[in-house]
Amino acid sequence: MFEEAMCCATGVCGPSVKKELIQTTAIQRHVNADGENIIIRRNLTQNPDAFVRNHQINDLLKKYGITVLPITPAFYNQVSHYH
């Protein structure tokens, strides 16, 4: 999951709490708990190289700008966009 620039992924460290980020963190922990499926989150502030290395993400950012975030690469080279 490729997310906008923020100081942390939890959503509780900034001036206002982002309910969606808290829910995303809870879902990620639940999914990752069994070790069978893994959700990896990339934050533009903390992991900018991941955005550059992923050609799909890089192309979408060039075409649509930062407003395209968050985006989640899906299987078979498809990209899902959630807002």
Side-chain angles (χ1 to χ4, degrees):
M1 178 180 293
F2 290 80
E3 300 175 299
E4 64 190 70
M6 52 190 153
C7 57
C8 70
T10 63
V12 296
C13 58
S16 62
V17 176
K18 292 187 176 182
K19 182 180 174 183
E20 297 85 6
L21 292 176
I22 294 170
Q23 291 172 332
T24 301
T25 299
I27 292 167
Q28 177 190 18
R29 289 181 180 160
H30 178 75
V31 169
N32 292 358
D34 67 7
E36 190 171 319
N37 298 297
I38 302 294
I39 295 173
I40 299 171
R41 294 170 72 184
R42 300 289 185 223
N43 175 321
L44 189 55
T45 302
Q46 297 171 348
N47 314 104
D49 56 323
F51 287 74
V52 175
R53 285 193 317 260
N54 187 305
H55 296 292
Q56 280 184 312
I57 302 303
N58 197 354
D59 290 346
L60 287 169
L61 283 171
K62 286 178 184 176
K63 185 173 183 179
Y64 300 107
I66 201 160
T67 60
V68 74
L69 298 174
I71 41 182
T72 305
F75 294 107
Y76 309 113
N77 294 324
Q78 296 175 4
V79 176
S80 300
H81 177 194
Y82 300 99
H83 273 289

